[in-house]
Structure formats: structure tokens, C-alpha cells
């Protein structure tokens, strides 16, 4: 029933909602100075399911020491928030730039159950935009729901399936970095 109700609901484009502001006619946002990258960027985007910031920050946690080191050496966002507490809506928001409530979700067979996925939503996902622009885009599918056909993040030019643990995926990231060369490239892994 929920799927039928969602199909009947009229979706309003985000740019017509009162709390969104169009950037038409506004000045361009200047790039960082100095530039973050002199050449074509290679981006490795890692998301971790159900990981709280306080666990990463806790210096007693040996398992998250690598994340603390990354925070020292890379970009670190102190006010990052997820748009949802569940993986599917949070990931779909990451790759569309829209709140999951503005996407079209429908019931889909998944592992012997019916779950909701946005596979028929027509919102562009940025992996597709990058791929269409000639950027090498790769995803480590670490759980079945991240496959392109479920609509969370379709449009990658390369997919490979691997287990959800970092030790299983990190060798693939290293090979990808070596084989991509000067870039550009985008690699996503969800642990």
C-alpha cells in the first residue's frame, strides 16, 4: 500500500520549494586558493555504514586510528550530517544532491522481501554525470543494494563486487589508483 500511495503522491521539484534558492544570476562560487589539486583530481570516496563520529574521535579506539590519521592529513568536515539514518536513503541523497523524500521510491523485490528503492527516479546521479564527461568512475559494490539497478548510485563506468570489509576493498583501491594514472577519476567504496 505504501508503494501505491507514494506513486499517487505529487512530487514537487526541489527548485519550487520555498526553502531552496536558485543560484541563477548569483556570482559564481570561487575555487579554493590555493587550488586543492593542480592536475586532474583522483577522488577516493569512502562511506562507512553505521559509524559514529565520537567513535572515530576516541583515541582509545585502535580500530579507528587510520581515520584519525586521515583527518590530520586530508579534508575533515566537523559539521557533516546524514540526511537519513538508513543506508539506502542516505546514499541516494549523497549521489543526487536531493533529500531522499524528494525522490521517487517504489517497492522492489530484494532478497525475498519487498524493499523501497529509487531505481525509476529520473534525477541525475553525479557518477553518471562524471562518466558522461569522460571521468573514470568505479564503485566497489560491497552489498547487493548498491548495485546500479537499485538506483542508489547508478552510472559508474566500472563495477566490481567485493565483501564489505576494508581489508577486502583496499587492494582494489590501490590497483585503481595505480592504473588511473594522472586522472581524472572517482572511486567509491562503502564499508
Amino acid at each position: 500500500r505504501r508503494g501505491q500511495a507514494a506513486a499517487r503522491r505529487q512530487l514537487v521539484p526541489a527548485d519550487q520549494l520555498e526553502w531552496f534558492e536558485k543560484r541563477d544570476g548569483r556570482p559564481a562560487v570561487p575555487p579554493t586558493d590555493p587550488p586543492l589539486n593542480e592536475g586532474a583530481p583522483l577522488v577516493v570516496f569512502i562511506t562507512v555504514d553505521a559509524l559514529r563520529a565520537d567513535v572515530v574521535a576516541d583515541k582509545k579506539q585502535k580500530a579507528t586510528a587510520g581515520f584519525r590519521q586521515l583527518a590530520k592529513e586530508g579534508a575533515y568536515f566537523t559539521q557533516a550530517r546524514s540526511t537519513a539514518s538508513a543506508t539506502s536513503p542516505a546514499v541516494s541523497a549523497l549521489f543526487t544532491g536531493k533529500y531522499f523524500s524528494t525522490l521517487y521510491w517504489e517497492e522492489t523485490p530484494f532478497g525475498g522481501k519487498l524493499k523501497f528503492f529509487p531505481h525509476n527516479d529520473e534525477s541525475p546521479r553525479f557518477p553518471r554525470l562524471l562518466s558522461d564527461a569522460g571521468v573514470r568512475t568505479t564503485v566497489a559494490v560491497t552489498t547487493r543494494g548498491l548495485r546500479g539497478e537499485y538506483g542508489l548510485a547508478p552510472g559508474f563506468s566500472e563495477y566490481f563486487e567485493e565483501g564489505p570489509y576494508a581489508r577486502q576493498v583496499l587492494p582494489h583501491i590501490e590497483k585503481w589508483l595505480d592504473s588511473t594514472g594522472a586522472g581524472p577519476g572517482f572511486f567509491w567504496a562503502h564499508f
Side-chain angles (χ1 to χ4, degrees):
R1 289 186 181 178
R2 287 187 294 173
Q4 293 169 348
R8 288 191 301 266
R9 186 176 21 165
Q10 178 70 31
L11 296 178
V12 177
D15 63 353
Q16 293 179 13
L17 298 171
E18 63 184 277
W19 54 84
F20 284 89
E21 184 178 325
K22 286 188 174 187
R23 293 218 31 95
D24 298 345
R26 296 173 99 13
V29 177
T32 59
D33 188 27
L36 293 176
N37 188 322
E38 295 296 328
L42 289 175
V43 175
V44 177
F45 183 53
I46 297 174
T47 52
V48 182
D49 212 86
L51 178 63
R52 297 187 338 250
D54 63 316
V55 173
V56 174
D58 184 354
K59 293 181 180 173
K60 295 176 188 172
Q61 294 286 336
K62 290 181 182 178
T64 57
F67 284 112
R68 288 190 296 281
Q69 188 65 30
L70 279 172
K72 286 180 189 174
E73 297 175 12
Y76 179 69
F77 300 92
T78 59
Q79 296 297 316
R81 301 287 186 266
S82 179
T83 59
S85 58
T87 303
S88 295
V91 166
S92 66
L94 277 173
F95 288 108
T96 61
K98 294 181 172 186
Y99 288 105
F100 68 92
S101 59
T102 65
L103 300 175
Y104 175 70
W105 295 74
E106 64 182 294
E107 284 184 311
T108 307
F110 185 81
K113 300 177 187 176
L114 286 177
K115 290 192 170 192
F116 286 88
F117 286 99
H119 57 87
N120 284 326
D121 183 88
E122 295 180 5
S123 301
R125 278 39 168 202
F126 85 81
R128 165 74 62 216
L129 299 174
L130 291 174
S131 294
D132 289 350
V135 175
R136 182 181 181 192
T137 57
T138 306
V139 60
V141 177
T142 55
T143 181
R144 185 179 56 214
L146 301 180
R147 292 178 182 160
E149 67 260 26
Y150 293 106
L152 301 182
F156 282 90
S157 52
E158 301 171 343
Y159 289 79
F160 71 88
E161 296 206 22
E162 190 54 81
Y165 299 106
R167 69 179 176 272
Q168 296 167 304
V169 178
L170 288 173
H172 295 286
I173 295 173
E174 291 172 356
K175 285 184 208 171
W176 180 86
L177 286 168
D178 289 340
S179 66
T180 304
F186 178 82
F187 189 109
W188 174 46
H190 181 77
F191 300 151

